[in-house]
Amino acid sequence: MSLTASLNTALSGLQVNQNLMRLVSNNIANVNTAGYTKKTADLSAIYLNDIGGGVQIDQIRRIVDDYLVKQINTQTSAVSAAETLSGFYTRLQDLFGTPEENSSISGLMNTLRTAFEQLATDPQQSVNQFTAVTSAVDVANTLNSISTTLQAFRNEVDRQIGVSVDTVNKRLVELDKLNDDIVRNTTLGLPLGDLLDKRDVALQEIAKEMDVKWFIRDNGAVYVMTGSNYTLLDNDPHPIGFSSPTGVSKGTVYPGGFSAIEIEDVFPDITTLIKSGNMKSLIDLRDSILPGLQEQIDQLTSTMAEEINRQHASAMPIPGLKVFTGATEFTAADLLDPANPASVPLTAYTNPTSGLAEYGTIQFAIIDSSGNAVGDALRVNLDEFETQMEAYIAGFVGPFDYQVTLGDVVNMINGAYAATPPGGTPVPPTPAGWPGGVPWPPSPALVMPSSGSDIAGLTNLSGNTTTGAFSGGTFARVVNGHLEIGLPASSPYGLAIDDSDTTFAVAGESRPSTFNYLLELNNLYVIDPEALSAGQNIKVRDDIVADPSKLGRAYLTSVERTVGDPTTEEWYVGRGDGAGARAMADAFESQYLFDAEGNLPASNQRMTEYAASIIQMNARGASDASTSLEFIQNLKVELETRQGQVSGVNIDEELAYLISIQNAYSASARIVSTVNELFDDLMMLIN
């Protein structure tokens, strides 16, 4: 071998070992770099005319197991989904608290029950009245807060979906650029390892957000699809389109209110096709988990408001209320004649035992500051009234099936059916459907068998000491479908109603309703019937919050000073009567049917038990999410450990290799030095 050939061979060794040293140095420098894989060089001998001529680097390649990479990406999607779900469940636990906490909704409802019990013990104690109202407000405020926060969570989640979509789109653009670089380097025979590492990192970032799959083309470019096989990247990226609404409420739902997740030029909507990753959990939270919780809260709210209002409706404060304003609004379909607000029909409840349709009896009384009635109470047996009205009409036109209406109740209170109507009271409008040829109003006045008297109205029975609150001296009226009964604001008296014996039928309900509850004349809790969320809308009636003494707690009742002599009957609202408050407390002891909502099955439970069930089921969801996350994370760590064993940089191995390179480099350098000396000797001989 010539000296020149020997020199070239040694120089190739120096050059290759320099490159190997740089390769090892880069491996060691990136030992802690996420996504970096160990790089190694494939060497081959150089032959000139079948004679060894040195060494060369064929390629720099990375050590990687592509199957493990895909497994890790799949697990990355699962971990990301579990982390998102677990994180929100933790926040939901903070929102709901635990059942034993007084600040939780179940704890606050127990506090309200206790407050009603204390009020029942001493109903005139202002502290007890204030405590009961404050507790009722606390429950409503907490339900408002939970509902508002749940919708805020949905808004936040939807915006996070937008962030997730942006992340995917950015990574697709990055992958498209990497594809160009990889194809170019492949064509030119340049190193690919670092580009492939960057590609793996970008793919893993996409996998965090959603389930994806990919394959490598012959030219080295990657083709990316969703888990449901819709293209995200081929020759060009196909960005995902998504936008968030300006505001989110219970009525904001997918599809419709929330934007679809769409792949441009590929598929119109992949929202329901995303099966893993951060995006999947966010969609589940927005469209299923959080709405389910809202439905549970709304059902609890509606049940609590309904049951407490049922009891509070018949309970009176002392000295009653100046004005009862019904919250129930009747639609045109509920009116016998939509043009006549006095014709709202009332339907008697059919007693399942007797099979008879019965209205029951209702009493109205004007009471003073001591709770005693001013004059007599107006007692009306509605079943007798119906019978007498049918008999009256039959005397003119023959048998007639009469429908008792809200207008009849208004006329009774105002004295329109009395033998001597109050002076100045306008003649009420003729009811819709009133048969022609029959005098209106009835004349002579209707006489009730149970009392032996006509329906005199409040003014006559109170001794004309109190005028009506509304125009024409009337006590009652129907305005736009709402009933109002009241006294002048300047009156020293209040109005009390005993409707505990009334039984009206309500569409869709199997149990009867009292008159006050049917018309929502004395609700404690108020929920706008147009509200999308009962939990977000519920509040305690404003006048009761402003004046807790208006909280109902006793019943209008009577006693006959001479037993059997109705002329000696005296009406009053007892100052020590806490029966109404006791009934509201007892409402928490009854069981109610709760429909299946969210992850809670249908059940018969007390209200506090259902509230606790919401909290416990949420806690269970948090526990399950945490357990699942731990398991999935451990599996991912195991896969990453295996990948590290294959692709990771081992410093000890690299240092050992570095010594080998150093020795090889030194040997090659020694050859160069030796050849150089030989050249010097040769030159001396020539000279």
Side-chain angles (χ1 to χ4, degrees):
M1 179 183 292
S2 68
L3 290 179
T4 301
S6 297
L7 181 61
N8 288 335
T9 299
L11 288 175
S12 72
L14 286 174
Q15 186 177 17
V16 165
N17 283 298
Q18 283 178 341
N19 288 332
L20 290 177
M21 192 174 297
R22 184 172 61 214
L23 184 64
V24 171
S25 176
N26 193 48
N27 281 342
I28 293 174
N30 287 282
V31 65
N32 293 316
T33 300
Y36 182 83
T37 59
K38 179 180 177 179
K39 306 300 185 299
T40 187
D42 290 337
L43 306 180
S44 65
I46 299 174
Y47 291 95
L48 299 173
N49 297 322
D50 296 328
I51 298 174
V55 65
Q56 64 183 359
I57 296 177
D58 285 338
Q59 65 173 337
I60 304 295
R61 61 183 178 86
R62 59 183 192 148
I63 307 299
V64 67
D65 185 329
D66 289 332
Y67 175 77
L68 273 178
V69 170
K70 290 192 175 184
Q71 288 294 102
I72 289 172
N73 278 13
T74 299
Q75 207 61 26
T76 296
S77 289
V79 169
S80 182
E83 284 177 339
T84 299
L85 205 57
S86 181
F88 264 95
Y89 265 121
T90 298
R91 295 173 65 181
L92 288 171
Q93 276 193 294
D94 293 338
L95 175 64
F96 285 101
T98 59
E100 61 272 11
E101 290 178 343
N102 290 333
S103 59
S104 71
I105 187 59
S106 59
L108 290 172
M109 292 178 80
N110 277 320
T111 299
L112 178 58
R113 174 182 55 80
T114 301
F116 284 143
E117 290 173 345
Q118 292 174 341
L119 181 64
T121 302
D122 190 353
Q124 284 302 106
Q125 176 60 256
S126 59
V127 172
N128 290 342
Q129 297 166 13
F130 176 81
T131 300
V133 172
T134 300
S135 296
V137 170
D138 287 343
V139 171
N141 287 345
T142 299
L143 291 167
N144 294 161
S145 177
I146 290 174
S147 299
T148 299
T149 303
L150 287 175
Q151 296 311 314
F153 278 175
R154 294 182 72 219
N155 191 23
E156 176 186 344
V157 164
D158 188 68
R159 294 186 181 280
Q160 286 188 21
I161 292 174
V163 173
S164 181
V165 166
D166 288 342
T167 298
V168 172
N169 287 337
K170 288 177 182 177
R171 294 295 174 259
L172 289 175
V173 171
E174 181 180 340
L175 283 172
D176 185 50
K177 176 63 169 59
L178 285 169
N179 272 349
D180 293 340
D181 294 341
I182 290 169
V183 170
R184 183 188 68 248
N185 281 20
T186 299
T187 302
L188 298 177
L190 298 175
L192 297 172
D194 290 340
L195 292 175
L196 297 178
D197 284 350
K198 290 180 180 179
R199 186 177 71 185
D200 284 352
V201 170
L203 287 169
Q204 191 170 72
E205 288 298 314
I206 294 177
K208 286 182 180 179
E209 306 305 329
M210 61 186 295
D211 51 317
V212 290
K213 58 179 70 171
W214 67 92
F215 64 85
I216 307 301
R217 293 178 169 179
D218 293 339
N219 61 2
V222 67
Y223 184 97
V224 184
M225 299 174 291
T226 67
S228 50
N229 298 322
Y230 291 101
T231 303
L232 290 172
L233 174 65
D234 45 23
N235 295 325
D236 296 297
H238 296 277
I240 299 175
F242 179 80
S243 62
S244 293
T246 55
V248 172
S249 68
K250 180 181 177 180
T252 310
V253 297
Y254 167 83
F258 289 115
S259 168
I261 301 173
E262 301 176 333
I263 304 176
E264 182 180 294
D265 301 328
V266 175
F267 196 73
D269 188 354
I270 62 168
T271 305
T272 60
L273 302 178
I274 297 171
K275 301 303 180 184
S276 189
N278 177 47
M279 216 180 292
K280 167 62 175 173
S281 287
L282 292 173
I283 293 169
D284 287 346
L285 282 163
R286 184 195 69 182
D287 298 339
S288 177
I289 296 172
L290 294 175
L293 285 170
Q294 185 66 71
E295 291 295 345
Q296 293 165 12
I297 290 297
D298 286 344
Q299 183 171 208
L300 174 64
T301 301
S302 298
T303 300
M304 183 196 70
E306 176 182 358
E307 299 307 325
I308 290 181
N309 284 346
R310 277 184 182 274
Q311 307 307 324
H312 188 269
S314 301
M316 300 290 120
I318 295 175
L321 297 175
K322 282 289 189 292
V323 177
F324 289 84
T325 301
T328 299
E329 182 174 353
F330 293 89
T331 64
D334 296 319
L335 305 178
L336 296 179
D337 178 3
N340 183 356
S343 63
V344 177
L346 301 175
T347 305
Y349 174 72
T350 301
N351 188 310
T353 302
S354 65
L356 299 176
E358 301 171 332
Y359 287 105
T361 301
I362 188 169
Q363 289 84 222
F364 303 88
I366 297 171
I367 59 174
D368 60 22
S369 59
S370 297
N372 297 319
V374 177
D376 294 328
L378 171 62
R379 170 186 281 175
V380 182
N381 184 314
L382 295 175
D383 298 300
E384 289 183 356
F385 168 78
E386 181 186 36
T387 299
Q388 296 303 307
M389 185 65 86
E390 288 178 345
Y392 169 73
I393 296 175
F396 294 91
V397 298
F400 189 84
D401 184 14
Y402 188 79
Q403 169 69 64
V404 178
T405 70
L406 186 56
D408 287 319
V409 177
V410 171
N411 290 336
M412 295 169 189
I413 297 171
N414 292 336
Y417 294 144
T420 307
T425 302
V427 176
T430 303
W434 187 259
V438 180
W440 173 260
S443 180
L446 305 178
V447 176
M448 300 296 101
S450 59
S451 62
S453 62
D454 61 13
I455 305 171
L458 276 174
T459 297
N460 286 346
L461 291 176
S462 64
N464 289 310
T465 57
T466 302
T467 58
F470 307 116
S471 61
T474 59
F475 289 95
R477 64 180 180 178
V478 177
V479 179
N480 297 326
H482 293 274
L483 175 64
E484 296 179 357
I485 309 173
L487 303 172
S490 59
S491 173
Y493 307 119
L495 182 66
I497 305 172
D498 174 31
D499 69 338
S500 57
D501 185 47
T502 55
T503 53
F504 294 94
V506 179
E509 293 191 15
S510 60
R511 55 178 169 168
S513 169
T514 61
F515 178 77
N516 285 0
Y517 179 68
L518 176 69
L519 301 173
E520 298 183 87
L521 284 173
N522 189 28
N523 285 346
L524 173 61
Y525 282 114
V526 178
I527 300 175
D528 185 344
E530 300 298 322
L532 295 173
S533 167
Q536 203 164 7
N537 187 260
I538 188 173
K539 68 175 185 175
V540 176
R541 207 173 76 208
D542 290 339
D543 62 320
I544 294 178
V545 174
D547 182 3
S549 68
K550 292 183 178 180
L551 181 66
R553 48 199 182 273
Y555 294 130
L556 173 63
T557 188
S558 66
V559 61
E560 289 183 350
R561 296 305 177 189
T562 301
V563 178
D565 184 358
T567 63
T568 65
E569 188 175 35
E570 296 180 2
W571 291 84
Y572 64 93
V573 178
R575 296 178 63 85
D577 180 9
R582 167 53 60 186
M584 287 188 282
D586 289 344
F588 288 97
E589 299 303 318
S590 299
Q591 291 190 335
Y592 306 99
L593 176 62
F594 291 94
D595 296 331
E597 295 290 357
N599 53 6
L600 282 177
S603 62
N604 276 294
Q605 290 182 293
R606 297 181 179 90
M607 290 183 284
T608 51
E609 291 173 340
Y610 186 72
S613 294
I614 296 174
I615 298 171
Q616 290 166 350
M617 189 60 73
N618 181 67
R620 178 179 175 181
S623 176
D624 290 346
S626 177
T627 301
S628 176
L629 174 60
E630 182 179 0
F631 174 79
I632 296 171
Q633 280 179 327
N634 288 339
L635 182 55
K636 182 187 176 188
V637 168
E638 181 179 344
L639 290 171
E640 288 175 336
T641 300
R642 290 170 59 188
Q643 184 193 39
Q645 293 170 348
V646 174
S647 304
V649 176
N650 186 307
I651 292 181
D652 292 337
E653 290 179 356
E654 296 299 310
L655 289 175
Y657 188 35
L658 186 62
I659 293 172
S660 174
I661 295 170
Q662 181 183 10
N663 291 336
Y665 187 88
S666 297
S668 295
R670 182 63 180 270
I671 292 173
V672 172
S673 176
T674 300
V675 171
N676 185 57
E677 290 176 0
L678 291 175
F679 269 117
D680 288 342
D681 291 343
L682 181 60
M683 292 300 295
M684 290 177 63
L685 289 173
I686 294 174
N687 293 331

